[in-house]
Amino acid sequence: MAMTATSAETAHHTSRSHRTGLALGKVLIYAALIFWAFICLFPIFWTVTTTFKTANNVTQGHILPFIDFWPDWKGLRSLGLSPDTLFEVSTVRDEFLKRFLNSVYASVGASLLAIVIGSIAAYGLCRFDYRFGWMKNRDISFFFLSQLILPPVVLAMPFLVLYKNLVLLDTLTGLILIYTLMVLPIVIWIMRDQFETIPVELEQAALVDGCSVWGAFFRIVLPIALPGMVAAFILSVILCWNEYFFAALLTSSNAKTLPVMVASQTGSQGISWWSMAAISTAAILPLVLIGIFLERYIVKGLTAGAVK
Amino acid sequence: MASVDVVEVRKAYGSHAVIHGVSLEIEDGEFVILVGPSGCGKSTLLRMVAGLEPITSGDIRIDGRVVNDLPPKDRDIAMVFQTYALYPHKTVAQNMGFALKMRGTPKPEIDARVKAAAEILNLGAYLTRYPRQLSGGQRQRVAMGRAIVRDPKVFLFDEPLSNLDAKLRVQMRAEIKELQQRLDTTTVYVTHDQVEAMTMADRIVVLHDGHVEQIGAPLELYDRPANTFVAGFIGSPAMNLLKGTIKGDSVVTEDGIKLPINGAPPGSDGRPVRFGIRPEHLTLGGTIPAVITVVEPTGSETQVFAKLGEQRIVGVFRDRISGRAGEALPVGIDPRLVHLFDQETGLRLN
């Protein structure tokens, strides 16, 4: 009897200390997650709130709107996007929209081109056996992927000279071409994974049913690989949208994109934080919307074939 | 006429040959089954007939016309794959009508033919469903429906029943056989299951390592296998192949056990042979001293694993046998049911 009582007590104590341990662990994990969420979200919060600050609010380090400072339309007014300037003519706003559209054209254009070329390349690497000198399929795939390892700055001089000679400097075409090159490895990577999850018997059935190789690709393989294509497209758009280095290097007045415009918000009075923040918010907004609404498709496309 | 002729077909991947000069003539309306163990080249051969695999040398003729260089879509064939290969983004009706759509058939005719095929295969209720909403057996039927809607010259089946459970397999076997008889279309069917081959085929082609071992009607292969490979492959449980030497009018094993034969082939005295006797041809109560190892009652019959001297032997008997390991079980052999094979070449002697 005594034995049972003691063991019951011990069991009770162990379970209580066990539960405390579990609770403490949970608290620590949540604390770490909240801390990290704060680190990730604070810059965005700062950017959005700074849009509505004036010069002395920024220099005095006021952070919380309505508590530290009163929001002002100054930032948006300098862009021609405040309620009072929205319906008036504004050269700044026109310029902003021009840069915004440049970003859209460059990102979407490059991504579409990369999807077309990359999908066909990935399909070829998946279904056919190639040989270029000593390189077989695996080597060719690695060659494509290795472009991602290359630091872009290495290509700065060559591309500057090349584009000057081809008269592609400060053109959207030039920008689209280089962005296509930039995202092609990722597209090929994602699409190759996609195509590998599609059984080759489906295409064989299509060949027997009356399709040519291209017919099988367009009618059977592509519709099935669509989630991956959408994911690759979205990822490419995001990468191209944020690209600063080549945009700053290869464009000046015509083809300048949003990231370059953000960086150039300096005047004789110092950095105009509020207009920089305003433009940044406008630059981030499309990506945030894409992320929120299309996250499902991105995950689905990237994890296709991960679980059999 | 939709005959299929395979003439001295060879297939090599680089320097590695996988099919060594296979020749085969399939008549119009015949149901021929290519059977053999994994890796024997049966699927490769089928795919060469389909045009999905290039031929290294030789000819393939469909209806007398050489089709070596024709793409699959121009050979007027239909194929059913092991994994069914149904298009997941199309409905059952769209799957079945796809080939006709590719050919430019007018929509009303496509609908009519799909409906007719669906009725034959009991798929009428599933036409608007997607493959992921169907069971294995239903998907198998859709794959067959896709083939028969085409009304092709030749049906090609690549191990279509391998992915089904045993009970469904038995049911589908009968359905496929019945369908083929009804449509009277030349059919080439690949399987590794010799029971499927025996029950469905008009003729069987036994393949091994890229060679044809024997071609013949099922019972021909059962009654007179041409070599030890076919003897051991056809029939379940496999034929007993005991080592021995011909001495006079019997075969004597190393342990000195005498096995009866129906007259030795002339000039073969002293020749080392393989003595073949099917498990179902052993009888109880004879003079051959087998010793029981394991008794496996299956309900309708009893399988007995025994030893004859040092060699293993299997017997299948209708009677119920209650024996323990180590007990003697004398068995009898009818000499007329014995198969003799040369021990070295494996070729039939009698």
Side-chain angles (χ1 to χ4, degrees), chain B residues 50-51 54 118 143 148 150 154 186 201 212 234 259 290 314 324:
Chain B
I148 71 180
R150 309 249 329 263
V154 186
T186 314
V212 172
I234 301 285
L259 303 164
V314 181
R324 316 261 309 272

Side-chain angles (χ1 to χ4, degrees), chain A residues 199 201-212 219-221 223-224, chain B residues 47 52 72-73 77 79 81 83 85-89 98-99 102 146 150:
Chain A
E201 279 97 3
L202 283 181
E203 292 143 65
Q204 290 175 348
L207 289 177
V208 170
D209 274 349
C211 291
S212 59
R219 286 175 190 273
I220 304 297
V221 178
I224 300 173
Chain B
R47 290 152 59 83
L52 295 169
K73 63 187 177 81
I77 50 153
M79 192 153 169
F81 295 85
T83 55
L86 299 179
Y87 308 126
H89 58 299
F98 183 69
M102 285 292 102
R146 190 168 63 176
R150 309 249 329 263

Side-chain angles (χ1 to χ4, degrees), chain B residues 170-230:
Chain B
V170 172
Q171 184 192 333
M172 292 300 296
R173 245 171 34 205
E175 280 191 34
I176 292 178
K177 178 73 183 173
E178 195 209 353
L179 191 66
Q180 194 274 340
Q181 278 171 345
R182 188 167 164 182
L183 298 173
D184 204 26
T185 309
T186 314
T187 304
V188 185
Y189 187 109
V190 160
T191 180
H192 61 271
D193 184 342
Q194 53 97 27
V195 174
E196 263 175 47
M198 292 291 285
T199 52
M200 295 168 76
D202 292 331
R203 270 195 306 156
I204 300 178
V205 179
V206 180
L207 288 161
H208 180 47
D209 274 347
H211 295 276
V212 172
E213 297 286 344
Q214 189 173 358
I215 303 177
L219 289 181
E220 213 181 293
L221 264 57
Y222 180 88
D223 290 333
R224 292 189 64 80
N227 55 42
T228 47
F229 178 80
V230 179

Side-chain angles (χ1 to χ4, degrees), chain B residues 30-44:
Chain B
E30 213 183 353
F31 194 144
V32 167
I33 297 193
L34 309 177
V35 73
S38 299
C40 69
K42 53 192 189 296
S43 281
T44 311

Side-chain angles (χ1 to χ4, degrees), chain A residues 114-126 137-138 140-149 180-198 225 227-229 231-233 235-236 239 301-306:
Chain A
I115 289 284
V116 170
I117 300 176
S119 298
I120 298 178
Y123 185 71
L125 283 171
C126 225
N137 279 29
R138 265 189 62 186
I140 297 171
S141 300
F142 180 72
F143 172 73
F144 284 138
L145 213 58
S146 64
Q147 309 302 309
L148 285 173
I149 308 172
T180 307
L181 276 180
M182 190 176 79
V183 295
L184 210 49
I186 294 179
V187 172
I188 294 178
W189 186 7
I190 294 175
M191 292 315 294
R192 206 166 69 109
D193 268 355
Q194 270 287 299
F195 291 137
E196 261 162 21
T197 62
I198 300 175
M229 285 180 77
F233 178 77
L235 218 57
S236 304
L239 284 169
L302 290 175
T303 55

